C-alpha cells in the first residue's frame, strides 16, 4: 500500500499551545496515594513524593496538570487539605465510594507540581458548593497577603502566592452521576456568576466552563449552546471529555473512533461560533479537552467492585493495563488534537499515574512506563511548534463511525526554532505494510531524517513490572531522504515518528 503526503510551509493550521500535552491527577484510586505520594518509599523526598515517579513525569515534559478532579471535586472541600496533616479530616468520597485522608492537598500538590516542572490547573467545586468556596480558594492560592485566606496560607507554610492561572468551573456538570448535577441553565448561571466573582479578583485568570462529558450525552450539543449563552463573555475555554473503548475487540472499528472525536470537536467549535455570532462578541472561546484516554480494560469489573466495598482508602481502581493496540489509538487521538490545534488549545491525558495512566507503580517498589507512555511522550517533546495542514492521499475503509477512514493517520509539526519537521503516523491497516511518500515544499533543504517505530506482533502485548520493555520504541533505517522528499516503509498496525532536520 502507498500513501502520498504533501507538507507545505505556507499551509498551516495554528501555533500549538504547549498545554495540548497536559496531564491530570485526581484523588481516585492510587493516583495520589502510592502513585505520586508515598512517604517511606525508598525514593521519597522530604515531602513524601516518589522520586522515581517524578523522574518519569519530568521525562514526559507535560506542561500543565489538572487537579484535584474529576468527579472527586464535586463534593470536595478544599479547606480539608490545608493545615497540619494530623489535624486534617478524613472524608467519604461519594464519587468513587472511598475514604479520603486529605494528607495531600493544595500545598503538597503545588510542591509536587513545581518539582515535576508542570503548572497547576485547578478545579473548583460547583457541585455541592459554589461561588463563595471558589472565590476563597482563589484568594488562598493567589493573593499576596493581608487577608484572612492569604494569611492562612502563609500560616500554613507558603509565603508567596502560587498565582494559578487556569481554573475549571466544576467538572462534568451535565452528568447525572455527578454530585450536584445541574441542568444546563442552572449550571450556566452558577458558572457565570462564579466566573464574574473570580474575575473581580483577577481579570487575567483563564477560566474553563464544563461542556458535555461525551458526545453521546442526550443533552449534547444543546448543553454547550445553553451554557455558552450564559457564560460566553466570562470564560476562555469550554471543556470536553472522551474515553475510547474496544469491548468488541475489533481493532479496525476501535482505531476509527478518532473520527468521532474529530466530529465532536468540530460540532462544539460550530456551537462556539454560533454563540459568538449571536452575541456579536469579539471574544474567542476555545476548547480544553481536559479528559481523554483509552478506558475499558477494567471499567466494568471496577463498577461491580465499587458497589461491594466498604469505603477503602486509595484502593486499586481503574488500573487499566494498556496493550500495543492502545499505542495506536493514543497516537491517533494525539494526531487529532494536533490537526485541531486551532481550536483545541489545552488537553489533559487522564490520568497520569496508576489510574488509566501511562505510569504505573508498586507500593514500596518500582515504577514503569505503560505502552501508551511513548506516543504521549513523543508528541509532548516533538509536537511543539506549528501544526501543518497535510494533503494526504491514501486508501480508506468503512467503519461504523465513518465511511472513509484513511488507513494512514498522520499529523505534522514544524518547529522553526529547532529546525525540524516531525510527522506522527499510524498505519491502521492490519495486514499490509505502507510506503509513505512525504513531499516537503517551502521549508528549505532537508538535511537528514530519523525514523522511530513502535511495533509488536501481538496487539495484546503489555508492559509489566516483570517485563517493562516488552513494547517500546526503536530506531530504524527505513526512512530514506531524496532531495526534499522522504520515503519510509512502515509495517501493518504500527506507530511511527519521522523527524526531518532542516
Amino acid at each position: 500500500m502507498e500513501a502520498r503526503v504533501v507538507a507545505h510551509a505556507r499551509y498551516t493550521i495554528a501555533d500549538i499551545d504547549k498545554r495540548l500535552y497536559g496531564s491530570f491527577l485526581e484523588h481516585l484510586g492510587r493516583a495520589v496515594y502510592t502513585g505520586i505520594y508515598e512517604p517511606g518509599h525508598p525514593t521519597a523526598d522530604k515531602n513524601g513524593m516518589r522520586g522515581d515517579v517524578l523522574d518519569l513525569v519530568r521525562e514526559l515534559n507535560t506542561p500543565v496538570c489538572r487537579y484535584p478532579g474529576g468527579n472527586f471535586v464535586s463534593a470536595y472541600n478544599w479547606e480539608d487539605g490545608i493545615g497540619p496533616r494530623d489535624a486534617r479530616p478524613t472524608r467519604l468520597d461519594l464519587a468513587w465510594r472511598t475514604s479520603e485522608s486529605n494528607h495531600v492537598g493544595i500545598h503538597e500538590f503545588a510542591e509536587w507540581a513545581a518539582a515535576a516542572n508542570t503548572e497547576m490547573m485547578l478545579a473548583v467545586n460547583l457541585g455541592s458548593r459554589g461561588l463563595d468556596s471558589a472565590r476563597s480558594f482563589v484568594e488562598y492560592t493567589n493573593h499576596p497577603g493581608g487577608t484572612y485566606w492569604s494569611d492562612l496560607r502563609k500560616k500554613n507554610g507558603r509565603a508567596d502566592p502560587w498565582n494559578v492561572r487556569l481554573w475549571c468551573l466544576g467538572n462534568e456538570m451535565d452528568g447525572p452521576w455527578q454530585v450536584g448535577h445541574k441542568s444546563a441553565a442552572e449550571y450556566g448561571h452558577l458558572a457565570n456568576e462564579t466566573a464574574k466573582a473570580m474575575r473581580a479578583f483577577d481579570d487575567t485568570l483563564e477560566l474553563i466552563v464544563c461542556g458535555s462529558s461525551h458526545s453521546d450525552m442526550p443533552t449534547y450539543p444543546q448543553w454547550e449552546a445553553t451554557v455558552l449563552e450564559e457564560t460566553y463573555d466570562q470564560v476562555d475555554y469550554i471543556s470536553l471529555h472522551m474515553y475510547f473503548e474496544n469491548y468488541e475487540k475489533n481493532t479496525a472499528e476501535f482505531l476509527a473512533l478518532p473520527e468521532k472525536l474529530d466530529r465532536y470537536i468540530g460540532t462544539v467549535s460550530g456551537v462556539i461560533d454560533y454563540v459568538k455570532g449571536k452575541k456579536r462578541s469579539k471574544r474567542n472561546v476555545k476548547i480544553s479537552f481536559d479528559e481523554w484516554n483509552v478506558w475499558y480494560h477494567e471499567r466494568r469489573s471496577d463498577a461491580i467492585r465499587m458497589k461491594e466495598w466498604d469505603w477503602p482508602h486509595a484502593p486499586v481502581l481503574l488500573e487499566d493495563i494498556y496493550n500495543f493496540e492502545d499505542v495506536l489509538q493514543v497516537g491517533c487521538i494525539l494526531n487529532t488534537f494536533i490537526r485541531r490545534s486551532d481550536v483545541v488549545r489545552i488537553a489533559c491525558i487522564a490520568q497520569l499515574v496508576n489510574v488509566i495512566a501511562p505510569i504505573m507503580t508498586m507500593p514500596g517498589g518500582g515504577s514503569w512506563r505503560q505502552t501508551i507512555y511513548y506516543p504521549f511522550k513523543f508528541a509532548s517533546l516533538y509536537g511543539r511548534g506549528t501544526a501543518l495542514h497535510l494533503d494526504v492521499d491514501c486508501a480508506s475503509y468503512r467503519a461504523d463511525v465513518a465511511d472513509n477512514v484513511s488507513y494512514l493517520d498522520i499529523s505534522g509539526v514544524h518547529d522553526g526554532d529547532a529546525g525540524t519537521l516531525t510527522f506522527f503516523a499510524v498505519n491502521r491497516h492490519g495486514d499490509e505494510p505502507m510506503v509513505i511518500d512525504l513531499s516537503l515544499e517551502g521549508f528549505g533543504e532537508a538535511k537528514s531524517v530519523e525514523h522511530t517505530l513502535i511495533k509488536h506482533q501481538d496487539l495484546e502485548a503489555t508492559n509489566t513490572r516483570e517485563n517493562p520493555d516488552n513494547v517500546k520504541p526503536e530506531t530504524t533505517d527505513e526512512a530514506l531522504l531524496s532531495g526534499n522528499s522522504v520515503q519510509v516503509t512502515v509495517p501493518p498496525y504500527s506507530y511511527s515518528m519521522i523527524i526531518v532536520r532542516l
Side-chain angles (χ1 to χ4, degrees), residues 184-438:
E186 291 169 330
Y187 169 69
H189 177 73
L190 174 59
N192 187 62
E193 294 305 311
T194 303
K196 285 163 58 179
M198 295 170 75
R199 291 208 180 281
F201 171 79
D202 182 355
D203 191 43
T204 69
L205 298 177
E206 294 182 80
L207 304 181
I208 305 165
V209 72
C210 291
S212 294
S213 302
H214 55 78
S215 61
D216 293 326
M217 293 293 293
T219 53
Y220 162 82
Q222 184 59 51
W223 173 277
E224 279 80 4
T226 301
V227 168
L228 283 174
E229 286 186 17
E230 289 279 352
T231 64
Y232 195 89
D233 292 328
Q234 297 296 334
V235 301
D236 302 284
Y237 306 92
I238 187 164
S239 74
L240 301 182
H241 297 170
M242 185 172 179
Y243 293 99
F244 298 76
E245 303 169 348
N246 188 22
Y247 291 111
E248 294 77 17
K249 298 298 182 182
N250 186 323
T251 302
E253 293 289 345
F254 181 51
L255 296 183
L257 288 176
E259 300 293 318
K260 183 177 180 180
L261 169 64
D262 186 75
R263 286 200 304 271
Y264 187 17
I265 294 168
T267 298
V268 174
S269 178
V271 173
I272 292 171
D273 289 343
Y274 162 74
V275 176
K276 178 180 180 179
K278 184 176 180 180
K279 288 183 170 289
R280 296 352 185 226
S281 177
K282 294 182 179 180
R283 190 177 194 87
N284 292 314
V285 172
K286 301 295 184 180
I287 290 172
S288 172
F289 217 108
D290 45 39
E291 286 188 34
W292 67 269
N293 206 344
V294 174
W295 178 20
Y296 74 96
H297 295 284
E298 300 296 330
R299 192 167 188 170
R300 290 175 174 171
S301 61
D302 281 340
I304 295 172
R305 291 194 307 116
M306 283 174 57
K307 294 178 182 179
E308 297 173 345
W309 64 35
D310 187 22
W311 307 98
H313 179 259
V316 172
L317 183 60
L318 276 60
E319 296 196 10
D320 277 26
I321 302 303
Y322 290 115
N323 57 33
F324 168 66
E325 182 183 58
D326 299 325
V327 171
L328 308 178
Q329 181 65 281
V330 167
C332 291
I333 296 166
L334 288 162
N335 281 347
T336 305
F337 290 151
I338 291 171
R339 293 191 297 261
R340 287 287 192 171
S341 56
D342 56 334
V343 64
V344 181
R345 306 301 287 166
I346 301 168
C348 301
I349 191 171
Q351 294 186 17
L352 191 56
V353 184
N354 285 331
V355 173
I356 48 174
I359 299 169
M360 293 297 295
T361 73
M362 283 293 295
S367 57
W368 65 96
R369 303 168 185 83
Q370 289 232 63
T371 61
I372 65 169
Y373 183 95
Y374 296 107
F376 183 69
K377 172 185 172 179
F378 290 154
S380 178
L381 295 185
Y382 302 105
R384 316 252 180 137
T386 302
L388 299 173
H389 178 81
L390 305 178
D391 181 31
V392 180
D393 181 11
C394 182
S396 62
Y397 67 97
R398 176 172 293 184
D400 289 344
V401 297
D403 289 335
N404 294 293
V405 181
S406 175
Y407 281 113
L408 174 62
D409 187 272
I410 188 168
S411 68
V413 179
H414 178 211
D415 186 339
D417 293 335
T420 58
L421 289 167
T422 303
F423 300 92
F424 306 101
V426 175
N427 182 358
R428 288 194 273 213
H429 202 291
D431 299 317
E432 295 186 26
M434 181 182 294
V435 179
I436 305 173
D437 285 312
L438 285 167

Side-chain angles (χ1 to χ4, degrees), residues 133-172:
S133 171
R135 74 180 182 94
S136 298
F137 194 14
V138 173
E139 182 181 320
Y140 187 89
T141 60
N142 286 13
H143 195 60
T147 66
Y148 174 80
W149 289 113
S150 59
D151 286 347
L152 183 58
R153 182 196 68 241
K154 290 184 175 183
K155 180 181 177 181
N156 288 332
R158 173 71 185 193
D160 297 326
W162 289 295
N163 291 318
V164 180
R165 312 317 304 161
L166 272 175
W167 293 85
C168 302
L169 302 175
N171 174 77
E172 293 186 355

Side-chain angles (χ1 to χ4, degrees), residues 455-472:
K455 171 63 181 174
H456 201 285
Q457 296 306 313
D458 182 5
L459 287 171
E460 299 292 327
T462 63
N463 290 346
T464 64
R465 178 179 53 163
E466 296 76 19
N467 190 7
D469 296 322
N470 187 32
V471 178
K472 65 178 183 179

